[in-house]
Amino acid sequence: MKVSAKDNPVEFPSGVTPLNVLQSHSGLPNDAVAARLNGSILSLTQPITEDGELQFLTFNDPEGKEVVFHSTAHLMAQAVTELFPGVKLAIGPPIAEGFYYDFEVERPFTPEDLQQIEERMEKRANDKLPVERFVMSREEALDYYKKANQNYKVELIEDFEDSSFSFYRQGDFVDMCRGPHVPHTGYLKHFKLLNCAGAYWRGDENRAMLQRIYGVAAGNRKELKDYLQKLEEAKERDHRKLGRELDLYSIHDEAGPGLIFWHPHGARIRNIIETFWRDEHYRRGYELVYIPHILRENLFIKSGHLENFRENMYSPMQVDNIDYYAKPMNCPGHILIFQSHLRSYRDLPIRYGELGTVYRYERSGVLHGLLRVRGFTQDDAHIFCRPDQLEEEITGVIDLADFMMNAFGFDYRLCLSTRPAKSIGSDEVWEHATETLRRALEKNGKPYDTEEGGGAFYGPKIDVLLLDALGRTWQGPTFQLDFNFPERFNIDYIDSDGSKKRCVMIHRTVLGSMERFLGNLIEHYKGAFPAWLSPVQIKVLPITDDQHDYARKLHQRLKSENLRSELDDRNEKIGYKIREAESLKIPFMFVVGKKEAEETTVAVRERGRKDHGVMSLVEALHFVRKATEIPRSSLQMD
RNA sequence: GCCAACGUAGCUCAGUCGGUAGAGCAACGGUUUCGUAAACCGUAGGUCAGGGGUUCAAGUCCCCUCGUUGGCUCCA
């Protein structure tokens, strides 16, 4: 049998293991955790029976990482099995940043349990128990798990058609698993259990609630430390913490959970973004509209919201014996405006935009700061167009979203979601629409992912996933094609031949919602907003009382230049004022002492310990202007 | 909604065995007039989330409700 490793073909007897190869060759990674042969991933101890090129995988390869995560999940399950006799095992897969395992136990795990489990894991890792693969027939496997009273495993087997199943054994612990795994538990050195939580069996809320333990593993001590540090940094960036510290917003038990109160500084940022948003939409041929917040029941019957979205809607209020609902979406309102006239093919496309506030009932357990709320303002728009305009419109929307993401410094990924199992409309229409989206994406040139079956029931969509400064992704803007509303509402236009034709409708946001976007933005910038967004751009800091007159005049001058300035004329030392301005993340500080007042100059300090020295007023204004400029797109207007 | 943990001053947090509420910062009043990340002295601030129970006595133990946090499910 011929196996080549590192472009070095060597004959090996059939049944050689990657570990053998590793030991008989120099120059191969000594930290390999698994191998790849002809596209499939192998344990290092798995005998090779076919020719091919052998590659070794370390923790730095995605597949190697997965193997380590998975093996660590097994190690944890072993520890839990030993410490909690009678525990039932469910599943324990690797996930993007670690692993988890679901258990059914007598009582939920406590933080002390986690520590104990972790200690037991370390012990078993030190034992360097060999991890051995073996196979049982379907009947043997079923019998084995039935006898062991492991009903979740029994259910898993019953759901598969396979005639045999692979198992892994380490010490006394056995788990059914596809593998592959590390050769022995001594490979697992750097791991930490993070938290435990309830999780439904198979994600179904009607089924048993199991206890899930999450953990993380790393290739070495430093990587583990770095990962834990990243978690700490995420805490420092948390928009709920910064929102309070920077006095941006609050939520009140008294008023209701999930409802946001924007304080002056938070409102200031939101206002800047909204003005920016409106200007850009007018520039791009959108018309902005306003619609009421409560609408009659019949409209939501017609739209299908009461049928499909009722559980997310607030209970109705009765007026003159008719039910009115707070709107959970803006589309029905925009459709009514569209339908207030007969529309010609020449009128299209019509783009109605609105910063439209909607109310949705969200289950109490899902609320989260600004990111998941019950009342929020979507940067919504609905585009009504002819089928032949669809591609150009989508292209325009992608371009607008790109502009927005760049303006706020977000990197992003695009994702195309196709037809889900439960959906309306003909295959032909779906195919055409999906292809149109795909063409627009191709033309755009940026890479994109495809999520098969991820679309809405009424049409395919493109999602924009924001990547923040920590590399975390957030669901942001979304563009959805809709075949449902045009049918339900008979949204038509008169074509050039005088016949009625059905419109195509696009729902889109380019930020997501103001609340969620602001939340993302706070975390992205760690509260240190660029000057154009900063609620306060300049703090004027007189050194002693003698400069108060000059400082006040300076502050007034800055305000008259449309700069957002605040004056700190409290009786405090300059170090104290600077410290506070720094912690409030104000971009510029104009320090004025005796010298500056006499010479009509300012000592300019920039956020982050940068002293730019003394400047004339004109210079200082010029300096600040560059940073406070509002981004504009270089549109080719025709 | 479900599982778990948590809820003490505006914020961050102490509070032992059940014995009657504490610090730092912030606020307020003074003193100080100061050159790039915390001057000094003083004052005030609490229905210990809310309600019920056990007890001679509850921030502390038990139950219920509300809220928050981490997950599950769902989503902008």
Side-chain angles (χ1 to χ4, degrees), chain A residues 217-380:
Chain A
N220 57 51
R221 187 182 307 256
K222 186 180 174 296
E223 280 171 24
L224 182 63
K225 210 178 125 201
D226 288 350
Y227 178 79
L228 296 174
Q229 209 156 4
K230 204 174 117 183
L231 290 184
E232 285 306 308
E233 204 196 325
K235 261 188 221 165
E236 286 304 305
R237 285 174 182 266
D238 194 310
H239 73 279
R240 293 165 299 184
K241 178 176 151 78
L242 288 167
R244 188 173 51 240
E245 286 172 0
L246 303 180
D247 198 15
L248 302 179
Y249 76 97
S250 57
I251 299 173
H252 302 266
D253 290 4
E254 210 178 346
L259 302 170
I260 306 300
F261 291 75
W262 290 102
H263 295 16
H265 283 178
R268 189 109 215 192
I269 303 171
R270 180 169 161 176
N271 257 313
I272 293 160
I273 296 173
E274 290 185 354
T275 303
F276 171 69
W277 186 94
R278 289 193 186 98
D279 288 350
E280 193 60 30
H281 278 72
Y282 277 130
R283 296 180 75 213
R284 289 175 186 252
Y286 283 77
E287 289 301 332
L288 301 186
V289 299
Y290 291 99
I291 61 170
H293 286 200
I294 57 169
L295 302 165
R296 269 165 84 151
E297 175 184 40
N298 57 341
L299 192 61
F300 292 116
I301 292 174
K302 192 169 180 182
S303 70
H305 279 103
L306 283 174
E307 201 179 315
N308 297 310
F309 208 68
R310 182 174 226 139
E311 65 208 31
N312 283 295
M313 289 169 70
Y314 275 95
S315 312
M317 63 191 99
Q318 274 213 336
V319 182
D320 294 340
N321 285 323
I322 292 168
D323 282 348
Y324 283 72
Y325 286 86
K327 66 178 154 118
M329 291 188 192
N330 301 305
C331 9
H334 293 180
I335 290 169
L336 291 184
I337 298 174
F338 180 87
Q339 292 190 310
S340 63
H341 293 287
L342 206 54
R343 305 292 180 176
S344 150
Y345 70 99
R346 290 196 181 97
D347 298 333
L348 303 182
I350 287 178
R351 310 181 187 98
Y352 288 148
E354 179 180 7
L355 294 160
T357 303
V358 297
Y359 291 90
R360 296 185 188 172
Y361 170 74
E362 297 285 355
R363 307 215 265 175
S364 60
V366 306
L367 300 175
H368 182 94
L370 292 174
L371 302 183
R372 193 72 185 273
V373 296
R374 285 183 175 162
F376 57 98
T377 300
Q378 292 181 304
D379 70 299
D380 212 356

Side-chain angles (χ1 to χ4, degrees), chain A residues 528-581:
Chain A
F529 296 101
W532 74 281
L533 286 171
S534 203
V536 179
Q537 295 171 316
I538 303 164
K539 200 105 170 177
V540 178
L541 308 177
I543 289 173
T544 74
D545 291 359
D546 290 342
Q547 290 88 49
H548 279 190
D549 272 350
Y550 177 63
R552 202 168 300 121
K553 278 183 200 149
L554 179 59
H555 166 62
Q556 287 304 337
R557 170 71 193 278
L558 293 170
K559 290 218 300 192
S560 73
E561 297 276 345
N562 275 329
L563 290 162
R564 297 187 288 277
S565 166
E566 277 185 2
L567 173 64
D568 186 352
D569 57 2
R570 292 175 304 172
N571 178 7
E572 294 291 353
K573 292 171 78 170
I574 193 66
Y576 182 91
K577 293 182 185 180
I578 286 170
R579 182 185 151 84
E580 191 180 271

Side-chain angles (χ1 to χ4, degrees), chain A residues 391 395 398 414 416 435-448 450 462:
Chain A
E391 188 175 334
T395 300
I398 293 175
L414 294 165
L416 172 67
E435 274 321 299
T436 307
L437 291 185
R438 198 182 295 279
R439 262 204 313 281
L441 282 169
E442 295 289 348
K443 208 168 86 188
N444 177 255
K446 287 211 177 216
Y448 64 91
T450 303
I462 296 172

Side-chain angles (χ1 to χ4, degrees), chain A residues 366-495:
Chain A
V366 306
L367 300 175
H368 182 94
L370 292 174
L371 302 183
R372 193 72 185 273
V373 296
R374 285 183 175 162
F376 57 98
T377 300
Q378 292 181 304
D379 70 299
D380 212 356
H382 295 94
I383 300 173
F384 303 89
C385 66
R386 307 189 305 256
D388 63 289
Q389 295 170 319
L390 194 52
E391 188 175 334
E392 195 182 337
E393 286 309 304
I394 290 292
T395 300
V397 169
I398 293 175
D399 186 67
L400 175 53
D402 179 70
F403 168 69
M404 288 286 170
M405 293 303 104
N406 289 335
F408 295 102
F410 282 111
D411 223 340
Y412 64 93
R413 282 194 357 232
L414 294 165
C415 182
L416 172 67
S417 293
T418 62
R419 183 171 194 171
K422 198 185 146 199
S423 57
I424 59 157
S426 70
D427 289 352
E428 199 189 356
V429 172
W430 268 90
E431 198 168 313
H432 175 74
T434 309
E435 274 321 299
T436 307
L437 291 185
R438 198 182 295 279
R439 262 204 313 281
L441 282 169
E442 295 289 348
K443 208 168 86 188
N444 177 255
K446 287 211 177 216
Y448 64 91
D449 300 324
T450 303
E451 197 189 333
E452 298 296 341
F457 74 92
Y458 49 76
K461 62 173 182 171
I462 296 172
D463 286 323
V464 180
L465 302 168
L466 316 189
L467 289 167
D468 75 5
L470 283 188
R472 298 173 296 180
T473 57
W474 305 91
Q475 164 69 252
T478 175
F479 328 138
Q480 310 182 343
L481 290 193
D482 185 353
F483 316 133
N484 183 36
F485 282 139
E487 294 298 325
R488 279 182 177 270
F489 284 87
N490 295 319
I491 306 176
D492 296 328
Y493 63 94
I494 308 299
D495 208 355

